[in-house]
Amino acid sequence: MAENQNTEWKESWRDEYLKWICGFANAQGGKIYIGTDDNGNVIGVPDSKKLLEDIPNKVRDILGIIVDVNLLTQDGKDYIEIYVNPSSYPVNYKGEYHYRSGSTKQLLKGAALTEFLLSKTGYKWDAVPVDGVTVEDLDKESFDIFRREALRSGRMTEKDLNMSNEQLLDSLGLLEQGKLKRAAILLFHRNPEKWVTGAYIKIGYFGEGSDLRYQDEIHGSLFIQADRVIELIYLKYMKAIISYDNVTRIETYPLPKAAVREAVYNAIIHSNYAALVPIQIRIHEDAVYISNDCIFPVGWTVETLMERHRSQPYNPNIANGFSGQDMWKHGDEESKKSAKRVKNMVFQCRNIHFT
């Protein structure tokens, strides 16, 4: 039996294997077998009785967790099973955070470590309060866009929106003990890149291969970006086929606007902004690629994404801010149907290819 995300084989015990226990505890849990070869064949350990005492004590003293250590026997040979339950809080080995992924142990650093610690504590990246910025620093146009779209979608009424900007932010859950959350900065600040580098959109039109013909960058709050990006795509980057119904001129684009809007909005809402990488839209004559840096929910695969699944927004606070803008209120019925067909494809996905 080969090693996998829940199983590790070791010939003998070394104290450095506490890192592997740490990795299992921070992931989905698992078992480490001491006294086996790389294929899981039992070769035995001579000091099994001593290990039954030493391993639990070292795990408790160094990692601060309790594991089950069991003595097993096969063909007269003793070997040790260490059963590690997944931990609900972050476990560290002498200040290092290890994580089991597939059949490997990874040392978490940088953005990956930040994401792990936030997820383990139940805190989302976009919910972290930001010091040194107030409601008065936010952008009036962004609030105007929100109110306009909330009314147009029917999700909120004029009475609902008849409140101050601070009250609106509080009703959207974008304040934490009087401080603005990161989501509030991204959604409503004119220059969110002051705090989050890469929080913008790049659009490019390409010929063959990497032949870039022309490009644009859209900066500003996420509401400003969302408000302008679709219009720019259809005014500058896509060609419409012209036809006539009697004297009525009809413009038919290669992709329905509602479908592209849904894809772009999802890229904006579910992007991993902590990676500091802008959303990129690559347009060809016959294809559109939309990519963002994203992280799937724990346990998700591409197959999970393509099946029916419940929504797990990567940025729930940003998603809640966009909930007042109902994408299905735009476009004709055919565009809405097209958007629904691609809805599951664009949710939290990277390098979406429409043809």
Side-chain angles (χ1 to χ4, degrees):
M1 177 180 175
E3 292 180 338
N4 56 44
Q5 68 270 22
N6 302 116
T7 307
E8 180 78 23
W9 311 109
K10 296 296 182 186
E11 293 186 3
S12 60
W13 171 258
R14 297 179 185 175
D15 285 352
E16 67 179 271
Y17 294 153
L18 290 169
K19 298 177 183 179
W20 273 256
I21 296 175
C22 176
F24 277 125
N26 284 329
Q28 303 172 37
K31 297 178 180 180
I32 300 177
Y33 292 94
I34 309 299
T36 60
D37 63 19
D38 290 341
N39 296 316
N41 301 310
V42 176
I43 60 176
V45 287
D47 52 351
S48 58
K49 298 293 193 298
K50 186 174 185 297
L51 291 177
L52 281 177
E53 295 182 7
D54 289 350
I55 293 175
N57 292 334
K58 289 179 178 179
V59 172
R60 180 198 61 206
D61 294 343
I62 297 176
L63 301 181
I65 60 175
I66 302 298
V67 297
D68 293 326
V69 181
N70 304 311
L71 176 62
L72 305 178
T73 301
Q74 181 176 310
D75 299 329
K77 300 174 183 177
D78 290 343
Y79 66 109
I80 299 292
E81 177 192 64
I82 305 171
Y83 183 80
V84 186
N85 284 308
S87 175
S88 59
Y89 61 89
V91 176
N92 75 84
Y93 169 81
K94 298 181 179 180
E96 297 177 349
Y97 290 88
H98 298 268
Y99 190 87
R100 180 75 171 190
S101 178
S103 59
T104 65
K105 176 190 68 64
Q106 298 180 2
L107 175 61
L108 299 177
K109 297 180 180 180
L113 175 58
T114 300
E115 171 64 25
F116 165 75
L117 293 174
L118 288 174
S119 65
K120 277 292 184 180
T121 57
Y123 220 45
K124 292 293 186 178
W125 180 89
D126 69 339
V128 175
V130 179
D131 293 317
V133 58
T134 66
V135 176
E136 289 69 29
D137 296 323
L138 302 183
D139 178 53
K140 179 181 180 301
E141 182 183 0
S142 299
F143 282 105
D144 290 342
I145 291 172
F146 176 87
R147 287 184 165 91
R148 182 194 72 204
E149 294 301 317
L151 283 173
R152 176 169 14 197
S153 69
R155 297 289 292 274
M156 302 179 74
T157 66
E158 288 191 25
K159 183 179 179 179
D160 295 330
L161 294 168
N162 188 22
M163 62 180 80
S164 68
N165 290 341
E166 184 172 1
Q167 290 171 326
L168 177 60
L169 291 171
D170 188 49
S171 69
L172 293 172
L174 297 177
L175 294 177
E176 178 77 20
Q177 297 181 348
K179 293 184 178 181
L180 296 173
K181 294 181 178 179
R182 279 179 177 150
I185 305 298
L186 286 163
L187 289 168
F188 291 101
H189 199 280
R190 193 78 180 186
N191 183 24
E193 294 169 69
K194 182 178 179 180
W195 292 270
V196 186
T197 305
Y200 65 97
I201 299 174
K202 295 178 67 174
I203 307 176
Y205 187 88
F206 289 79
E208 294 294 329
S210 60
D211 177 23
L212 176 62
R213 302 289 178 81
Y214 49 90
Q215 64 178 346
D216 287 283
E217 294 182 357
I218 301 177
H219 299 266
S221 72
L222 296 189
F223 283 136
I224 288 177
Q225 293 179 41
D227 193 56
R228 295 177 180 173
V229 62
I230 304 301
E231 180 181 10
L232 180 61
I233 288 174
Y234 279 85
L235 285 178
K236 184 175 180 179
Y237 286 85
M238 284 195 181
K239 297 178 181 179
I241 298 175
I242 306 299
S243 60
Y244 290 88
D245 183 1
N246 293 326
V247 296
T248 303
R249 172 178 164 139
I250 300 174
E251 295 184 351
T252 303
Y253 287 93
L255 291 173
K257 186 176 290 187
V260 175
R261 180 185 292 110
E262 176 73 2
V264 173
Y265 277 27
N266 273 277
I268 293 172
I269 293 169
H270 303 297
S271 181
N272 173 25
Y273 290 100
L276 310 180
V277 178
I279 293 168
Q280 300 177 34
I281 303 175
R282 180 182 177 121
I283 300 178
H284 296 256
E285 184 177 357
D286 59 351
V288 174
Y289 298 84
I290 303 172
S291 65
N292 68 347
D293 197 287
C294 70
I295 299 175
F296 281 179
V298 174
W300 276 39
T301 64
V302 174
E303 289 71 27
T304 307
L305 185 74
M306 300 303 292
E307 298 170 351
R308 293 183 65 88
H309 56 267
R310 63 188 180 91
S311 176
Q312 295 186 46
Y314 181 72
N315 299 305
N317 292 273
I318 293 175
N320 188 46
F322 270 85
S323 67
Q325 301 188 36
D326 190 348
M327 269 56 97
W328 307 111
K329 294 294 181 179
H330 301 273
D332 57 23
E333 288 302 318
E334 183 58 34
S335 292
K336 295 176 188 177
K337 292 177 182 177
S338 299
K340 289 179 181 178
R341 286 196 294 268
V342 302
K343 184 176 182 181
N344 286 336
M345 294 178 61
V346 300
F347 178 74
Q348 287 185 332
C349 200
R350 180 179 176 86
N351 290 338
I352 305 304
H353 179 194
F354 297 90
T355 56

Short mmCIF file of all heavy atoms in Angstrom, two decimals, residues 138-156 161 165 168 172 186-190 218-231 261 265 268 321-327 330:
data_model
loop_
_atom_site.label_atom_id
_atom_site.label_comp_id
_atom_site.label_asym_id
_atom_site.label_seq_id
_atom_site.Cartn_x
_atom_site.Cartn_y
_atom_site.Cartn_z
N LEU A 138 -13.49 56.74 2.45
CA LEU A 138 -14.01 55.91 1.38
C LEU A 138 -14.60 56.74 0.26
O LEU A 138 -14.80 57.95 0.40
CB LEU A 138 -15.05 54.92 1.95
CG LEU A 138 -14.54 53.99 3.05
CD1 LEU A 138 -15.62 53.03 3.49
CD2 LEU A 138 -13.29 53.23 2.59
N ASP A 139 -14.90 56.10 -0.85
CA ASP A 139 -15.21 56.78 -2.10
C ASP A 139 -16.72 56.94 -2.31
O ASP A 139 -17.47 55.95 -2.26
CB ASP A 139 -14.62 55.96 -3.26
CG ASP A 139 -14.94 56.55 -4.62
OD1 ASP A 139 -14.67 57.74 -4.81
OD2 ASP A 139 -15.45 55.79 -5.46
N LYS A 140 -17.16 58.17 -2.55
CA LYS A 140 -18.58 58.45 -2.74
C LYS A 140 -19.13 57.71 -3.96
O LYS A 140 -20.24 57.16 -3.92
CB LYS A 140 -18.82 59.96 -2.91
CG LYS A 140 -20.28 60.33 -3.15
CD LYS A 140 -20.46 61.82 -3.34
CE LYS A 140 -21.93 62.16 -3.56
NZ LYS A 140 -22.50 61.50 -4.75
N GLU A 141 -18.37 57.68 -5.07
CA GLU A 141 -18.87 57.02 -6.28
C GLU A 141 -19.13 55.54 -6.03
O GLU A 141 -20.10 54.98 -6.56
CB GLU A 141 -17.87 57.18 -7.42
CG GLU A 141 -18.35 56.54 -8.73
CD GLU A 141 -17.33 56.63 -9.84
OE1 GLU A 141 -16.23 57.19 -9.61
OE2 GLU A 141 -17.62 56.12 -10.94
N SER A 142 -18.29 54.92 -5.22
CA SER A 142 -18.47 53.49 -4.94
C SER A 142 -19.76 53.25 -4.16
O SER A 142 -20.48 52.28 -4.42
CB SER A 142 -17.26 52.96 -4.15
OG SER A 142 -16.07 53.11 -4.90
N PHE A 143 -20.06 54.12 -3.21
CA PHE A 143 -21.33 54.01 -2.50
C PHE A 143 -22.51 54.26 -3.44
O PHE A 143 -23.55 53.60 -3.35
CB PHE A 143 -21.38 54.99 -1.32
CG PHE A 143 -20.61 54.53 -0.12
CD1 PHE A 143 -19.39 55.11 0.20
CD2 PHE A 143 -21.10 53.53 0.70
CE1 PHE A 143 -18.68 54.70 1.31
CE2 PHE A 143 -20.39 53.10 1.81
CZ PHE A 143 -19.17 53.69 2.12
N ASP A 144 -22.34 55.22 -4.37
CA ASP A 144 -23.41 55.50 -5.34
C ASP A 144 -23.67 54.27 -6.22
O ASP A 144 -24.83 53.95 -6.52
CB ASP A 144 -23.02 56.70 -6.22
CG ASP A 144 -23.03 58.01 -5.44
OD1 ASP A 144 -23.62 58.06 -4.36
OD2 ASP A 144 -22.41 58.98 -5.94
N ILE A 145 -22.58 53.61 -6.64
CA ILE A 145 -22.73 52.41 -7.47
C ILE A 145 -23.47 51.32 -6.69
O ILE A 145 -24.38 50.67 -7.22
CB ILE A 145 -21.36 51.89 -7.93
CG1 ILE A 145 -20.72 52.87 -8.93
CG2 ILE A 145 -21.49 50.50 -8.58
CD1 ILE A 145 -19.29 52.54 -9.28
N PHE A 146 -23.09 51.13 -5.44
CA PHE A 146 -23.76 50.11 -4.63
C PHE A 146 -25.25 50.40 -4.50
O PHE A 146 -26.09 49.51 -4.71
CB PHE A 146 -23.14 50.03 -3.23
CG PHE A 146 -23.85 49.07 -2.33
CD1 PHE A 146 -23.52 47.72 -2.33
CD2 PHE A 146 -24.88 49.50 -1.50
CE1 PHE A 146 -24.20 46.83 -1.51
CE2 PHE A 146 -25.57 48.61 -0.69
CZ PHE A 146 -25.21 47.27 -0.69
N ARG A 147 -25.59 51.64 -4.16
CA ARG A 147 -27.00 51.98 -3.98
C ARG A 147 -27.78 51.84 -5.28
O ARG A 147 -28.91 51.34 -5.30
CB ARG A 147 -27.12 53.40 -3.42
CG ARG A 147 -26.71 53.54 -1.95
CD ARG A 147 -26.94 54.96 -1.44
NE ARG A 147 -26.90 55.01 0.01
CZ ARG A 147 -25.80 55.25 0.73
NH1 ARG A 147 -24.63 55.45 0.08
NH2 ARG A 147 -25.85 55.28 2.05
N ARG A 148 -27.17 52.25 -6.39
CA ARG A 148 -27.84 52.14 -7.68
C ARG A 148 -28.14 50.69 -8.03
O ARG A 148 -29.26 50.34 -8.42
CB ARG A 148 -26.94 52.76 -8.76
CG ARG A 148 -27.53 52.75 -10.17
CD ARG A 148 -26.44 53.04 -11.19
NE ARG A 148 -25.52 51.92 -11.35
CZ ARG A 148 -24.27 52.03 -11.80
NH1 ARG A 148 -23.77 53.21 -12.12
NH2 ARG A 148 -23.52 50.95 -11.93
N GLU A 149 -27.13 49.82 -7.87
CA GLU A 149 -27.32 48.42 -8.23
C GLU A 149 -28.23 47.70 -7.25
O GLU A 149 -28.97 46.79 -7.65
CB GLU A 149 -25.96 47.72 -8.31
CG GLU A 149 -25.08 48.22 -9.44
CD GLU A 149 -25.74 48.05 -10.79
OE1 GLU A 149 -26.34 46.99 -11.05
OE2 GLU A 149 -25.67 49.00 -11.60
N ALA A 150 -28.17 48.08 -5.98
CA ALA A 150 -29.06 47.45 -4.99
C ALA A 150 -30.52 47.77 -5.31
O ALA A 150 -31.40 46.91 -5.19
CB ALA A 150 -28.71 47.94 -3.59
N LEU A 151 -30.79 49.00 -5.75
CA LEU A 151 -32.15 49.38 -6.13
C LEU A 151 -32.57 48.67 -7.41
O LEU A 151 -33.68 48.16 -7.53
CB LEU A 151 -32.25 50.90 -6.32
CG LEU A 151 -32.31 51.74 -5.05
CD1 LEU A 151 -32.23 53.23 -5.40
CD2 LEU A 151 -33.61 51.46 -4.29
N ARG A 152 -31.66 48.65 -8.40
CA ARG A 152 -31.99 48.05 -9.67
C ARG A 152 -32.30 46.56 -9.52
O ARG A 152 -33.19 46.02 -10.18
CB ARG A 152 -30.84 48.24 -10.67
CG ARG A 152 -31.14 47.53 -11.96
CD ARG A 152 -30.24 47.81 -13.13
NE ARG A 152 -29.00 48.49 -12.92
CZ ARG A 152 -28.31 49.08 -13.92
NH1 ARG A 152 -28.80 49.09 -15.14
NH2 ARG A 152 -27.17 49.65 -13.68
N SER A 153 -31.58 45.89 -8.65
CA SER A 153 -31.77 44.45 -8.48
C SER A 153 -33.02 44.13 -7.68
O SER A 153 -33.51 43.00 -7.73
CB SER A 153 -30.56 43.84 -7.78
OG SER A 153 -30.50 44.26 -6.43
N GLY A 154 -33.51 45.10 -6.94
CA GLY A 154 -34.67 44.84 -6.09
C GLY A 154 -34.31 44.18 -4.78
O GLY A 154 -35.20 43.83 -3.99
N ARG A 155 -33.03 44.00 -4.51
CA ARG A 155 -32.60 43.37 -3.27
C ARG A 155 -32.78 44.31 -2.08
O ARG A 155 -32.89 43.87 -0.94
CB ARG A 155 -31.14 42.94 -3.39
CG ARG A 155 -30.89 41.89 -4.46
CD ARG A 155 -31.46 40.55 -4.07
NE ARG A 155 -30.74 39.97 -2.95
CZ ARG A 155 -29.64 39.23 -3.06
NH1 ARG A 155 -29.13 38.99 -4.26
NH2 ARG A 155 -29.05 38.73 -2.00
N MET A 156 -32.74 45.61 -2.34
CA MET A 156 -32.94 46.61 -1.29
C MET A 156 -33.84 47.71 -1.83
O MET A 156 -33.89 47.97 -3.04
CB MET A 156 -31.59 47.18 -0.82
CG MET A 156 -30.62 46.14 -0.28
SD MET A 156 -29.01 46.83 0.25
CE MET A 156 -29.49 47.61 1.79
N LEU A 161 -32.00 51.82 1.97
CA LEU A 161 -30.74 52.50 1.67
C LEU A 161 -30.68 53.91 2.24
O LEU A 161 -29.66 54.59 2.11
CB LEU A 161 -30.53 52.56 0.15
CG LEU A 161 -30.32 51.20 -0.52
CD1 LEU A 161 -30.41 51.33 -2.03
CD2 LEU A 161 -28.98 50.60 -0.12
N ASN A 165 -23.45 56.26 5.28
CA ASN A 165 -22.50 55.27 4.77
C ASN A 165 -22.00 54.35 5.88
O ASN A 165 -21.82 53.15 5.67
CB ASN A 165 -21.32 55.95 4.09
CG ASN A 165 -21.71 56.62 2.78
OD1 ASN A 165 -22.74 56.30 2.20
ND2 ASN A 165 -20.89 57.56 2.33
N LEU A 168 -24.62 51.86 6.59
CA LEU A 168 -24.67 50.89 5.50
C LEU A 168 -23.57 49.84 5.67
O LEU A 168 -23.81 48.63 5.53
CB LEU A 168 -24.54 51.60 4.16
CG LEU A 168 -24.51 50.71 2.91
CD1 LEU A 168 -25.79 49.89 2.80
CD2 LEU A 168 -24.29 51.55 1.66
N LEU A 172 -23.91 45.74 6.39
CA LEU A 172 -23.28 44.74 5.53
C LEU A 172 -22.25 43.90 6.27
O LEU A 172 -21.62 43.02 5.68
CB LEU A 172 -22.61 45.42 4.33
CG LEU A 172 -23.54 46.09 3.32
CD1 LEU A 172 -22.73 46.88 2.29
CD2 LEU A 172 -24.41 45.06 2.61
N LEU A 186 -11.52 47.21 0.13
CA LEU A 186 -11.52 46.75 -1.25
C LEU A 186 -12.78 47.18 -1.99
O LEU A 186 -12.72 47.59 -3.15
CB LEU A 186 -11.39 45.23 -1.29
CG LEU A 186 -9.99 44.68 -0.97
CD1 LEU A 186 -10.07 43.19 -0.64
CD2 LEU A 186 -9.04 44.90 -2.14
N LEU A 187 -13.91 47.11 -1.33
CA LEU A 187 -15.18 47.41 -1.99
C LEU A 187 -15.40 48.90 -2.20
O LEU A 187 -15.97 49.30 -3.23
CB LEU A 187 -16.34 46.85 -1.16
CG LEU A 187 -16.50 45.32 -1.14
CD1 LEU A 187 -17.50 44.92 -0.06
CD2 LEU A 187 -16.96 44.81 -2.50
N PHE A 188 -14.96 49.73 -1.26
CA PHE A 188 -15.38 51.13 -1.28
C PHE A 188 -14.26 52.17 -1.32
O PHE A 188 -14.55 53.35 -1.48
CB PHE A 188 -16.25 51.42 -0.04
CG PHE A 188 -17.60 50.74 -0.07
CD1 PHE A 188 -17.82 49.59 0.66
CD2 PHE A 188 -18.64 51.26 -0.82
CE1 PHE A 188 -19.06 48.96 0.64
CE2 PHE A 188 -19.89 50.65 -0.85
CZ PHE A 188 -20.09 49.49 -0.11
N HIS A 189 -13.00 51.77 -1.19
CA HIS A 189 -11.93 52.78 -1.23
C HIS A 189 -11.50 53.03 -2.66
O HIS A 189 -11.42 52.12 -3.48
CB HIS A 189 -10.73 52.35 -0.40
CG HIS A 189 -9.83 53.49 -0.03
ND1 HIS A 189 -8.90 54.02 -0.91
CD2 HIS A 189 -9.72 54.22 1.10
CE1 HIS A 189 -8.26 55.02 -0.33
NE2 HIS A 189 -8.73 55.17 0.89
N ARG A 190 -11.21 54.29 -2.98
CA ARG A 190 -10.82 54.66 -4.33
C ARG A 190 -9.49 54.03 -4.73
O ARG A 190 -9.25 53.74 -5.91
CB ARG A 190 -10.71 56.19 -4.44
CG ARG A 190 -10.61 56.71 -5.86
CD ARG A 190 -11.97 56.72 -6.52
NE ARG A 190 -11.95 57.20 -7.88
CZ ARG A 190 -13.05 57.39 -8.61
NH1 ARG A 190 -14.24 57.13 -8.09
NH2 ARG A 190 -12.98 57.82 -9.85
N ILE A 218 -7.75 48.32 -15.07
CA ILE A 218 -8.88 48.96 -14.40
C ILE A 218 -8.58 48.99 -12.91
O ILE A 218 -8.44 47.95 -12.27
CB ILE A 218 -10.20 48.22 -14.66
CG1 ILE A 218 -10.46 48.16 -16.16
CG2 ILE A 218 -11.36 48.88 -13.93
CD1 ILE A 218 -11.69 47.39 -16.54
N HIS A 219 -8.46 50.18 -12.37
CA HIS A 219 -8.15 50.38 -10.96
C HIS A 219 -9.36 50.99 -10.24
O HIS A 219 -10.35 51.34 -10.86
CB HIS A 219 -6.92 51.29 -10.82
CG HIS A 219 -5.68 50.73 -11.43
ND1 HIS A 219 -4.75 49.99 -10.72
CD2 HIS A 219 -5.21 50.80 -12.71
CE1 HIS A 219 -3.76 49.64 -11.52
NE2 HIS A 219 -4.02 50.12 -12.74
N GLY A 220 -9.24 51.12 -8.94
CA GLY A 220 -10.33 51.68 -8.15
C GLY A 220 -10.93 50.63 -7.23
O GLY A 220 -10.43 49.51 -7.12
N SER A 221 -11.99 50.99 -6.55
CA SER A 221 -12.67 50.04 -5.68
C SER A 221 -13.19 48.86 -6.50
O SER A 221 -13.34 48.94 -7.72
CB SER A 221 -13.83 50.72 -4.96
OG SER A 221 -14.89 50.99 -5.87
N LEU A 222 -13.50 47.77 -5.83
CA LEU A 222 -14.04 46.61 -6.55
C LEU A 222 -15.37 46.94 -7.21
O LEU A 222 -15.67 46.41 -8.29
CB LEU A 222 -14.22 45.43 -5.59
CG LEU A 222 -12.95 44.86 -4.95
CD1 LEU A 222 -13.27 43.56 -4.22
CD2 LEU A 222 -11.86 44.62 -5.98
N PHE A 223 -16.16 47.82 -6.61
CA PHE A 223 -17.42 48.21 -7.23
C PHE A 223 -17.17 49.02 -8.50
O PHE A 223 -17.87 48.86 -9.50
CB PHE A 223 -18.28 49.02 -6.26
CG PHE A 223 -18.98 48.17 -5.23
CD1 PHE A 223 -19.00 48.55 -3.90
CD2 PHE A 223 -19.60 46.98 -5.58
CE1 PHE A 223 -19.64 47.78 -2.95
CE2 PHE A 223 -20.24 46.20 -4.64
CZ PHE A 223 -20.27 46.60 -3.32
N ILE A 224 -16.16 49.89 -8.49
CA ILE A 224 -15.81 50.65 -9.69
C ILE A 224 -15.29 49.71 -10.77
O ILE A 224 -15.66 49.80 -11.95
CB ILE A 224 -14.76 51.73 -9.36
CG1 ILE A 224 -15.41 52.87 -8.55
CG2 ILE A 224 -14.14 52.30 -10.64
CD1 ILE A 224 -14.44 53.95 -8.12
N GLN A 225 -14.43 48.76 -10.38
CA GLN A 225 -13.91 47.80 -11.36
C GLN A 225 -15.04 46.99 -11.98
O GLN A 225 -15.09 46.81 -13.20
CB GLN A 225 -12.91 46.87 -10.67
CG GLN A 225 -11.63 47.56 -10.21
CD GLN A 225 -10.68 46.60 -9.51
OE1 GLN A 225 -10.50 45.46 -9.94
NE2 GLN A 225 -10.06 47.04 -8.42
N ALA A 226 -15.94 46.49 -11.14
CA ALA A 226 -17.05 45.69 -11.65
C ALA A 226 -17.96 46.51 -12.55
O ALA A 226 -18.51 46.02 -13.54
CB ALA A 226 -17.85 45.11 -10.48
N ASP A 227 -18.12 47.79 -12.23
CA ASP A 227 -19.01 48.66 -12.99
C ASP A 227 -18.45 48.97 -14.37
O ASP A 227 -19.20 49.17 -15.32
CB ASP A 227 -19.23 49.95 -12.20
CG ASP A 227 -20.38 50.78 -12.77
OD1 ASP A 227 -21.49 50.24 -12.88
OD2 ASP A 227 -20.16 51.97 -13.09
N ARG A 228 -17.12 49.00 -14.50
CA ARG A 228 -16.50 49.46 -15.75
C ARG A 228 -15.96 48.35 -16.64
O ARG A 228 -15.82 48.53 -17.84
CB ARG A 228 -15.37 50.43 -15.41
CG ARG A 228 -15.88 51.71 -14.75
CD ARG A 228 -14.76 52.65 -14.36
NE ARG A 228 -15.29 53.85 -13.72
CZ ARG A 228 -14.54 54.79 -13.14
NH1 ARG A 228 -13.23 54.64 -13.13
NH2 ARG A 228 -15.10 55.84 -12.59
N VAL A 229 -15.64 47.20 -16.04
CA VAL A 229 -14.92 46.20 -16.80
C VAL A 229 -15.77 45.60 -17.92
O VAL A 229 -15.29 45.42 -19.05
CB VAL A 229 -14.38 45.08 -15.87
CG1 VAL A 229 -15.51 44.35 -15.17
CG2 VAL A 229 -13.52 44.11 -16.65
N ILE A 230 -17.04 45.31 -17.66
CA ILE A 230 -17.88 44.69 -18.69
C ILE A 230 -18.11 45.65 -19.85
O ILE A 230 -18.03 45.26 -21.03
CB ILE A 230 -19.23 44.25 -18.10
CG1 ILE A 230 -18.99 43.30 -16.92
CG2 ILE A 230 -20.08 43.58 -19.15
CD1 ILE A 230 -18.23 42.06 -17.27
N GLU A 231 -18.37 46.91 -19.52
CA GLU A 231 -18.57 47.91 -20.58
C GLU A 231 -17.33 48.02 -21.46
O GLU A 231 -17.43 48.08 -22.69
CB GLU A 231 -18.90 49.27 -19.96
CG GLU A 231 -19.13 50.36 -20.98
CD GLU A 231 -19.44 51.70 -20.34
OE1 GLU A 231 -19.28 51.83 -19.11
OE2 GLU A 231 -19.82 52.63 -21.07
N ARG A 261 -20.43 38.72 -17.58
CA ARG A 261 -20.54 39.48 -16.34
C ARG A 261 -20.49 38.55 -15.13
O ARG A 261 -19.78 38.83 -14.15
CB ARG A 261 -21.85 40.29 -16.32
CG ARG A 261 -22.02 41.12 -15.04
CD ARG A 261 -23.37 41.80 -14.98
NE ARG A 261 -23.47 42.85 -16.00
CZ ARG A 261 -24.25 42.77 -17.06
NH1 ARG A 261 -24.99 41.69 -17.25
NH2 ARG A 261 -24.29 43.75 -17.93
N TYR A 265 -17.55 38.85 -12.41
CA TYR A 265 -17.93 39.17 -11.03
C TYR A 265 -17.46 38.09 -10.06
O TYR A 265 -17.01 38.38 -8.96
CB TYR A 265 -19.44 39.35 -10.93
CG TYR A 265 -19.95 40.73 -11.34
CD1 TYR A 265 -19.25 41.51 -12.25
CD2 TYR A 265 -21.13 41.23 -10.82
CE1 TYR A 265 -19.71 42.75 -12.63
CE2 TYR A 265 -21.61 42.48 -11.19
CZ TYR A 265 -20.90 43.24 -12.10
OH TYR A 265 -21.35 44.48 -12.47
N ILE A 268 -13.83 38.47 -9.39
CA ILE A 268 -13.58 39.58 -8.47
C ILE A 268 -13.91 39.17 -7.04
O ILE A 268 -13.13 39.39 -6.11
CB ILE A 268 -14.42 40.81 -8.87
CG1 ILE A 268 -13.93 41.38 -10.21
CG2 ILE A 268 -14.36 41.89 -7.78
CD1 ILE A 268 -14.83 42.48 -10.76
N GLY A 321 -21.11 42.02 0.24
CA GLY A 321 -21.23 43.37 -0.33
C GLY A 321 -21.80 43.35 -1.73
O GLY A 321 -22.58 44.22 -2.11
N PHE A 322 -21.44 42.33 -2.51
CA PHE A 322 -21.95 42.21 -3.86
C PHE A 322 -23.36 41.63 -3.92
O PHE A 322 -23.98 41.65 -4.97
CB PHE A 322 -21.02 41.32 -4.70
CG PHE A 322 -19.94 42.09 -5.42
CD1 PHE A 322 -18.75 42.38 -4.78
CD2 PHE A 322 -20.11 42.51 -6.73
CE1 PHE A 322 -17.75 43.09 -5.42
CE2 PHE A 322 -19.12 43.21 -7.39
CZ PHE A 322 -17.93 43.50 -6.73
N SER A 323 -23.85 41.12 -2.82
CA SER A 323 -25.17 40.47 -2.85
C SER A 323 -26.28 41.45 -3.18
O SER A 323 -27.35 41.06 -3.62
CB SER A 323 -25.47 39.81 -1.50
OG SER A 323 -25.62 40.78 -0.47
N GLY A 324 -26.02 42.74 -3.01
CA GLY A 324 -27.02 43.74 -3.38
C GLY A 324 -27.07 44.00 -4.87
O GLY A 324 -27.94 44.72 -5.35
N GLN A 325 -26.11 43.40 -5.61
CA GLN A 325 -26.08 43.59 -7.05
C GLN A 325 -26.46 42.26 -7.71
O GLN A 325 -25.64 41.39 -7.88
CB GLN A 325 -24.69 44.02 -7.52
CG GLN A 325 -24.23 45.31 -6.86
CD GLN A 325 -22.95 45.81 -7.47
OE1 GLN A 325 -22.74 45.69 -8.66
NE2 GLN A 325 -22.11 46.41 -6.66
N ASP A 326 -27.72 42.13 -8.05
CA ASP A 326 -28.22 40.88 -8.59
C ASP A 326 -27.90 40.79 -10.07
O ASP A 326 -28.49 41.46 -10.91
CB ASP A 326 -29.75 40.80 -8.38
CG ASP A 326 -30.29 39.43 -8.71
OD1 ASP A 326 -29.56 38.61 -9.29
OD2 ASP A 326 -31.45 39.19 -8.38
N MET A 327 -26.94 39.90 -10.43
CA MET A 327 -26.49 39.79 -11.82
C MET A 327 -27.60 39.34 -12.76
O MET A 327 -27.57 39.62 -13.94
CB MET A 327 -25.33 38.79 -11.90
CG MET A 327 -23.96 39.43 -11.75
SD MET A 327 -23.77 40.37 -10.25
CE MET A 327 -22.97 39.18 -9.21
N HIS A 330 -29.88 41.69 -15.28
CA HIS A 330 -29.37 42.28 -16.51
C HIS A 330 -29.58 41.32 -17.68
O HIS A 330 -29.53 40.11 -17.54
CB HIS A 330 -27.87 42.59 -16.40
CG HIS A 330 -27.54 43.52 -15.28
ND1 HIS A 330 -27.57 44.88 -15.42
CD2 HIS A 330 -27.20 43.28 -13.99
CE1 HIS A 330 -27.23 45.45 -14.27
NE2 HIS A 330 -27.00 44.49 -13.40
#
